[in-house]
Amino acid sequence: MRLYHALFLFLASLQVALSQDIEHGSLLVNGTQAKAETGDNFICATIDWWPHDKCDYGHCSWGYSSVVNLDLSHPFLAKAIQALKPLRIRLGGSLQDQVVYDIGNLKSPCHPLQKMNGQGWLFGFSKGCLHMKRWDELNQFFNQTGAIVTFGLNALRGKHQISHHVWEGVWDPTNAYDFIKYTVSKGYKIDAWELGNELSGKGIGASVGVTQYGKDLIKLKRILDVLYEKSRFKPSLVAPGGFYEKEWYDKLLQVSGSGIINVLTHHLYNLGPGSDGHLEGKILDPNRLSKVETIFSNLSETIQKHGPWTSAWVGEAGGAYNSGGRCVSNTFLNSFWYLDQLGIASTYNTKVYCRQTLIGGNYGLLNTSTLA
């Protein structure tokens, strides 16, 4: 897959045309020299955990599009994934650190994620559960469509909250171990396992100290080595799935050490909240879009200095956060943000770029209701 100068020149020329009164102009495109080159598995999209009653700014845009309730029998869904083959799908999101797996010696009841009015719950939802029957259905579907799967594990299991955002304690891997063991025994091919969602640095909803998180990753790596010892296929360990903060990311690679983290992931929402009335202008402003390049550059430097054994992924990016911008993120206009960021990511040797979402919210690639 090659991204040529033409894409960037076109976007730049479009902005000029929109901002100035130009009657005549010429554009020279060098279509023979590549700006960057990506691998076959560059394109990725996410499937989140949000229930149908997840609402932002008075609008509930998720419908039945989550890991646990998406209609896998809908013909449009299978065809969309097959049309993008090979498509990587990341199963994860804000609620993944509240999900347990109905396998082994699970001491708590296996209830679905539910909206809660009281305090003490992350993002206003209760803990939830993934039944193995549903996990079987998902894997059969992914196998049929040829999807490449990344799964985000619960990293807060065993930890306790000591302040508004900060969580402490040693990660309890028991439930994750049973879940991964079941997955291996069934022959399900999970290409990459990720630990936690947006827990790095200050965190979003919750944060975990970098030293403890590094130790938790070492523990997960040992589990993967044991459970996949007899398997010809070895999955990647992906982390931390959060927003890039240089000091935190640098120290993570130092704490975890060589060969533990295979993929260093970061999330991007550089357009601001979905309620922003200036989203359209931001999407068409090349200067605004280019500001994110600093993050890619700094992350590249982090990898070169502290973790040359890892590669960079954008683990989640939706442009505007809080489900995206209604009537903006789900329109053609948003394509300019998306294409621009794909270009910047590839320029900095990003191996995978996961769009939030495949379906769900206002930023889904598929219509939440019709799946068109």
Side-chain angles (χ1 to χ4, degrees):
M1 182 189 301
R2 289 173 176 250
L3 294 170
Y4 295 103
H5 285 301
L7 170 62
F8 304 101
L9 290 173
F10 170 70
L11 291 176
S13 64
L14 177 68
Q15 175 61 18
V16 170
L18 289 172
S19 61
Q20 300 179 25
D21 184 16
I22 297 177
E23 295 183 1
H24 301 284
S26 61
L27 178 65
L28 179 63
V29 177
N30 180 1
T32 61
Q33 184 175 355
K35 174 71 174 177
E37 190 167 334
T38 64
D40 291 335
N41 299 332
F42 181 60
I43 297 300
C44 167
T46 66
I47 298 179
D48 215 310
W49 291 95
W50 290 119
H52 71 281
D53 50 355
K54 152 71 170 171
C55 306
D56 297 280
Y57 318 118
H59 180 67
C60 308
S61 59
W62 286 86
Y64 293 90
S65 62
S66 82
V67 175
V68 294
N69 61 31
L70 178 61
D71 181 7
L72 303 177
S73 66
H74 198 298
F76 285 5
L77 181 63
K79 289 179 180 178
I81 294 173
Q82 289 168 336
L84 291 167
K85 189 176 181 179
L87 174 68
R88 179 181 297 275
I89 294 179
R90 175 196 178 237
L91 303 177
S94 298
L95 299 182
Q96 78 180 51
D97 294 304
Q98 295 171 229
V99 175
V100 295
Y101 320 110
D102 190 20
I103 185 71
N105 188 26
L106 184 63
K107 297 178 181 179
S108 56
C110 193
H111 294 315
L113 291 157
Q114 295 180 332
K115 200 167 189 176
M116 308 294 290
N117 295 322
Q119 298 296 317
W121 303 96
L122 291 178
F123 307 103
F125 285 87
S126 70
K127 294 180 180 179
C129 186
L130 175 63
H131 290 279
M132 291 304 97
K133 181 176 183 295
R134 178 61 175 181
W135 185 231
D136 293 340
E137 294 170 350
L138 285 163
N139 279 279
Q140 291 165 9
F141 175 76
F142 293 142
N143 183 56
Q144 292 168 0
T145 56
I148 303 168
V149 181
T150 296
F151 187 90
L153 295 165
N154 180 344
L156 293 182
R157 187 82 168 158
K159 298 183 184 298
H160 57 278
Q161 190 174 7
I162 64 169
S163 67
H164 180 59
H165 269 82
V166 180
W167 289 62
E168 279 190 352
V170 178
W171 176 57
D172 180 359
T174 307
N175 191 226
Y177 178 92
D178 291 337
F179 177 56
I180 299 171
K181 183 178 180 180
Y182 175 84
T183 301
V184 174
S185 71
K186 299 287 284 187
Y188 300 150
K189 186 177 179 181
I190 305 303
D191 184 77
W193 293 96
E194 186 176 33
L195 184 63
N197 181 79
E198 298 179 351
L199 302 175
S200 59
K202 299 180 181 64
I204 304 296
S207 68
V208 174
V210 64
T211 299
Q212 183 58 57
Y213 182 73
K215 293 177 181 178
D216 296 340
L217 287 175
I218 293 172
K219 189 180 294 184
L220 176 57
K221 184 70 170 181
R222 289 172 181 162
I223 289 172
L224 295 179
D225 288 343
V226 169
L227 294 180
Y228 284 90
E229 182 180 9
K230 297 180 180 179
S231 175
R232 289 182 297 174
F233 168 77
K234 306 296 181 184
S236 298
L237 175 55
V238 177
F243 292 95
Y244 177 77
E245 293 183 23
K246 189 178 189 306
E247 184 178 346
W248 200 97
Y249 270 63
D250 287 355
K251 189 171 181 180
L252 174 62
L253 290 171
Q254 294 167 6
V255 170
S256 58
S258 176
I260 298 298
I261 301 174
N262 303 116
V263 175
L264 203 63
T265 51
H266 67 117
H267 294 182
L268 287 169
Y269 287 89
N270 61 314
L271 297 179
S275 59
D276 191 333
H278 303 287
L279 276 181
E280 296 95 331
K282 289 182 177 180
I283 291 171
L284 294 176
D285 181 356
N287 293 323
R288 170 79 188 197
L289 297 180
S290 294
K291 287 181 179 179
V292 77
E293 191 168 355
T294 303
I295 296 175
F296 285 100
S297 177
N298 289 341
L299 180 66
S300 180
E301 183 179 305
T302 290
I303 289 175
Q304 290 172 15
K305 286 186 176 181
H306 304 287
W309 56 86
T310 69
S311 59
W313 288 11
V314 172
E316 182 183 313
Y321 58 82
N322 289 344
S323 303
R326 189 181 181 191
C327 300
V328 178
S329 297
N330 54 356
T331 68
F332 174 75
L333 177 68
N334 201 44
S335 302
F336 294 105
W337 157 78
Y338 186 33
L339 291 172
D340 184 80
Q341 200 152 108
L342 288 175
I344 293 175
S346 63
T347 302
Y348 283 90
N349 201 30
T350 302
K351 299 301 183 183
V352 170
Y353 185 103
C354 295
R355 164 70 178 259
Q356 174 82 346
T357 60
L358 175 65
I359 182 170
N362 292 305
Y363 36 36
L365 294 173
L366 305 180
N367 182 287
T368 305
S369 302
T370 67
L371 276 75

